[in-house]
Amino acid sequence: MDIIKEEEQKTENSDFSGNYIDKFQDKNAEEFFAGSLLSWEHSKNVYIFHGEHASLEVTVESSDILKFRFANDGYFERDFSYALDPEYGTESAAVVHEDLDSEVIITTDVLKCHINKRNLSSKITTLEGSPVFEDEKGYHWQDHKHYGGHINICTKVLHKDEKFYGLGDKTGRLNLIGTKRELWGTDCYGYGNDSEPVYKNIPFYMGQHSQIGYGIFMDNTFRSFFDFGFERRSVCSFWSQGGQMKYYYIHGPKLIDVVRKYAKLTGTPQLPPKWALGYHQSKWSYYPESVVRKLGEEFRSRKIPCDVIHLDIDYMDEFRCFTWDSEKFPKPAEMIEDLKKQGFKTVVIIDPGIKIDKNYEVYRQGIAGDHFCKRMDGDLLKASVWPGLCHFPDFTKKSTREWWATLFDGLIKDGVDGVWNDMNEPATFEDGTFPNDVRHDFDGEPASHRKGHNVYGSLMAQSTFEGQKRFMQNKKRPFTISRSAYAGVQRHASVWTGDNVASWEHLKIANIQCQRLAASGISFAGSDVGGFIGSPDGELYTRWIQMAIFHPFFRTHSSGDHGDKEPWKFEKKYVDIVRRFIEMRYELLPYLYTVFYYNTQTGTPMVRSLHLEGHIDPETFYREEEFFLGHHIMICPVSEPGLKTRKMYLTSGQWYNYWTDELLDGGLEITVDTPLDQIPIFIRQGAIIPKQPKMQFVDEFVFETLTLDCYRPTEATQSMLYEDEGDGYNYMNTEGCVEKIFESSQENEQWVITQKKDGLFDPTYQSYQLKLHGLKQSPVSIFVDGVDLSGQIELTNSLPTLTISKNFEKIEIS
């Protein structure tokens, strides 16, 4: 393995374009290996193999998850992780082992792990013996001549036709094959398709070369690299520039199973407030107060739905975090309350840099509490961001995270509803980020910034989340957004894809990034609609909106010096289409909220690439633009100007065209019309899609009837509807939530729909309006719980419709 890139973040070492300059590259450094097995031992589900130069610990976390941990010279480091869910625990699994002449075999219910006695290399196979994941050189290391410690490396066999996915917000092709990727969170303003690294650090990828998919989570916060056949076509490798080599092997068999199991390790989000799934409007920056008020009035007068207004750094007093500029915003609490009356929530930005100012209370507290990062000789780190010279909290220190959480009292009392963390890679103006000699507490095991950098943003987001939760007193749910992240950030924050560009290329990039993030455990993600940098024309903005209504986080954001991006800034023909698609987002909120709930319970990604659903369908391996929202809706954005039609692939099964109700067979590439006011949307046969009336903001009014768009099945299909109050924590109790399972099936000549409920929450509406799609003629009869309601059928836009009780149990249509 060629080693490696020097880590100093100094101007002379980096061009800040994602191209890192190799200052201390040593291609001839000696490589060290574990050597042959000397002895081994086991206790319950933990096996330790001692080699001549290193030890290997294999923990059977469950029947389908194994943890590998290496100890150079036989000394294991602390087994500590910021990524793992605190609720995660090793599951009981049936494990047996065989001690053979040449190897030790550990067997669970679903896999075998072979440990070679000659060199401690490993191979994971199916129970039948088919190799899934196996060492090439295996684990080895080099001494880091510049910093000490080790560069820890794993090289694996890259099988024929193997595909790779994941790694968070990486740009480029969805399939990672043939690329080399780096994890070192970077403020990459105006990044492109070839930029590397970018903002987030998610060391989790998936591979598949047969019918078995697997995942690898390398839990290491040092600068890390992943090579998917870039240097050697037959080798996949991953390595870190310090720490210990610790990774989890996650067995599928399907890739979507791998994502769910990864969520067992790193956790799932809590349900956000429902308003956070509405439309957000942001700009750098809306000020003064009169501009913010006018913005709200424009949305309401133009009847364009919106739930959230974001305030960027200019609301602060000279960019001091947790303050208000008293001239621009003389009465912030009053303004926020007035916005609430109009249906708007307020989200404010908070960066990590704390201005060095003895008259600034937050600064004084930080000094008194010893909360700021220090250089290696004890001096406080000084670096410039928006306020000028700043100190920066050490979020790897528990007492600092607790202190940071206390700072949100004033903002929450002012009525702020959510917080947006920016610049938390961490980013600075002088050198891009902190120098490597900066010290971090790392929760009791002091380390340099080399170890703390990649996790800094996630820990800031965690503390921000906890601060909101503390002062909202369980009456409201926190809402946090983070630009940078490490694995597990989904437990505390949503994310966005950073400072993108108003271009058709970036519309495609946003699509791929959101798919990749969801497959990496982070479903609550979105992009700056229309691009942060530059000015889109009306067509580009419209097409971006049409895609983004299907992304969980839905926000237009822009740099004000590049022009405004409010929806009404374009020609009327575009404004009308944009309005209609934002209205569609609000109509689909019951479906979207249910998909989010399912993600919290199972880890199933909200946005899904075709390969997650197609699994062994080779047509899905390289498809990038089509994606699912939940299980029942497939979308294919329009990503080029002037397109009247586009090609897309429908996965197996049968699908209804959302616009025409035409039923099409899957497993085929099709050509779809794409007039400006449509993008390809398809609904799975048998799906039941809940819809609410269009609104200007979430819960604008109480409605009497919820619409169920019912699509005639060709095979039995289940759909879910989850409901609760939409905010607060009553949903944690049975009385505060309800799951409704609809099953739609074709029994002989009869279409049968059943409903089963779990939970006692009773929504305010009293009835369902059924809209029956896929009938070639109006039904002859409809019985609801044995009662003939055929005479009440109406035709609405050529669709048979019927209003029934929300408490029905069985519908029979013939």
Side-chain angles (χ1 to χ4, degrees), residues 389-632:
L389 278 176
C390 291
H391 295 325
F392 295 81
D394 178 8
F395 290 109
T396 74
K397 189 176 183 180
K398 183 180 179 182
S399 61
T400 297
R401 295 195 297 273
E402 292 172 347
W403 164 71
W404 185 262
T406 68
L407 301 176
F408 291 91
D409 186 19
L411 291 175
I412 301 305
K413 284 179 178 176
D414 287 335
V416 166
D417 298 285
V419 179
W420 157 28
N421 287 158
D422 198 6
M423 302 289 285
N424 58 345
E425 288 71 32
T428 65
F429 290 165
E430 292 91 348
D431 299 324
T433 191
F434 298 173
N436 281 328
D437 74 314
V438 166
R439 306 302 296 168
H440 292 284
D441 179 75
F442 222 81
D443 276 80
E445 193 171 78
S448 76
H449 192 63
R450 297 173 60 237
K451 189 174 184 179
H453 176 92
N454 278 352
V455 79
Y456 189 90
S458 275
L459 294 177
M460 180 185 181
Q462 175 185 334
S463 184
T464 297
F465 174 90
E466 295 296 343
Q468 292 176 80
K469 188 173 182 179
R470 172 177 178 174
F471 294 109
M472 289 175 175
Q473 301 176 339
N474 288 335
K475 296 176 183 176
K476 300 193 297 182
R477 302 174 197 169
F479 174 65
T480 307
I481 319 168
S482 182
R483 189 170 74 176
S484 188
Y486 185 66
V489 72
Q490 66 271 12
R491 302 196 303 272
H492 307 112
S494 61
V495 303
W496 88 105
T497 60
D499 295 341
N500 59 0
V501 178
S503 70
W504 290 95
E505 178 190 41
H506 268 264
L507 187 156
K508 275 188 179 180
I509 291 173
N511 183 3
I512 289 172
Q513 285 181 303
C514 288
Q515 291 181 55
R516 204 191 300 279
L517 282 162
S520 304
I522 307 170
S523 278
F524 202 0
S527 62
D528 287 346
V529 173
F532 178 72
I533 304 163
S535 298
D537 62 20
E539 183 184 6
L540 174 57
Y541 184 74
T542 299
R543 291 305 196 186
W544 209 314
I545 283 279
Q546 290 171 334
M547 173 183 72
I549 70 165
F550 298 104
H551 287 162
F553 179 50
F554 180 30
R555 179 182 75 164
T556 292
H557 182 46
S558 65
S559 178
D561 57 349
H562 291 279
D564 297 331
K565 291 192 184 73
E566 293 76 33
W568 53 85
K569 295 297 183 181
F570 304 94
E571 295 176 44
K572 184 179 185 301
K573 67 176 181 178
Y574 300 117
V575 175
D576 291 342
I577 297 170
V578 165
R579 179 189 294 108
R580 180 64 200 109
F581 271 84
I582 297 177
E583 289 173 347
M584 185 189 298
R585 166 73 167 216
Y586 280 76
E587 291 168 352
L588 285 170
L589 273 179
Y591 177 82
L592 181 61
Y593 194 61
T594 298
V595 172
F596 206 121
Y597 168 75
Y598 194 64
N599 172 250
T600 70
Q601 300 301 299
T602 67
T604 303
M606 298 176 69
V607 170
R608 307 175 199 173
S609 304
L610 259 58
H611 64 262
L612 291 179
E613 290 283 339
H615 182 47
I616 59 174
D617 180 353
E619 280 291 334
T620 67
F621 295 160
Y622 296 92
R623 296 281 175 172
E624 297 183 330
E625 295 201 67
E626 306 95 325
F627 66 90
F628 293 88
L629 176 62
H631 189 58
H632 290 326

Side-chain angles (χ1 to χ4, degrees), residues 675-687:
L676 185 61
D677 61 351
Q678 295 181 13
I679 62 169
I681 303 171
F682 287 84
I683 310 297
R684 189 183 300 275
Q685 62 75 32

Side-chain angles (χ1 to χ4, degrees), residues 693-752:
K694 66 182 181 183
M695 297 182 177
Q696 293 303 297
F697 55 91
V698 168
D699 294 334
E700 178 188 8
F701 55 85
V702 175
F703 54 90
E704 290 295 318
T705 302
L706 183 78
T707 296
L708 298 181
D709 272 302
C710 305
Y711 290 83
R712 187 172 184 171
T714 55
E715 59 185 54
T717 304
Q718 275 196 354
S719 303
M720 177 190 285
L721 172 60
Y722 171 81
E723 296 171 306
D724 63 25
E725 293 175 344
D727 208 346
Y729 287 89
N730 288 337
Y731 78 94
M732 304 293 283
N733 305 310
T734 303
E735 296 79 9
C737 66
V738 63
E739 290 181 32
K740 300 175 181 179
I741 302 297
F742 303 104
E743 182 153 331
S744 182
S745 61
Q746 193 74 30
E747 300 178 7
N748 299 319
E749 296 300 314
Q750 200 171 62
W751 178 4
V752 177

Side-chain angles (χ1 to χ4, degrees), residues 631-679:
H631 189 58
H632 290 326
I633 301 180
M634 188 191 302
I635 304 99
C636 187
V638 176
S639 55
E640 296 179 28
L643 285 187
K644 303 302 181 185
T645 63
R646 74 153 300 156
K647 294 183 182 298
M648 66 172 290
Y649 182 74
L650 292 178
T651 57
S652 62
Q654 290 187 304
W655 298 88
Y656 285 91
N657 185 312
Y658 177 85
W659 305 104
T660 68
D661 262 2
E662 179 185 8
L663 181 63
L664 298 174
D665 290 328
L668 298 170
E669 183 176 72
I670 61 172
T671 299
V672 190
D673 290 335
T674 56
L676 185 61
D677 61 351
Q678 295 181 13
I679 62 169

Side-chain angles (χ1 to χ4, degrees), residues 1 3-4 31 138-142 151-155 237-240 245:
M1 175 62 58
I3 302 297
I4 287 282
E31 294 180 335
Y139 174 66
H140 54 287
W141 69 94
Q142 296 177 3
I151 298 163
N152 299 301
I153 309 156
C154 274
T155 60
S237 54
F238 47 92
W239 67 97
S240 65
M245 174 56 71

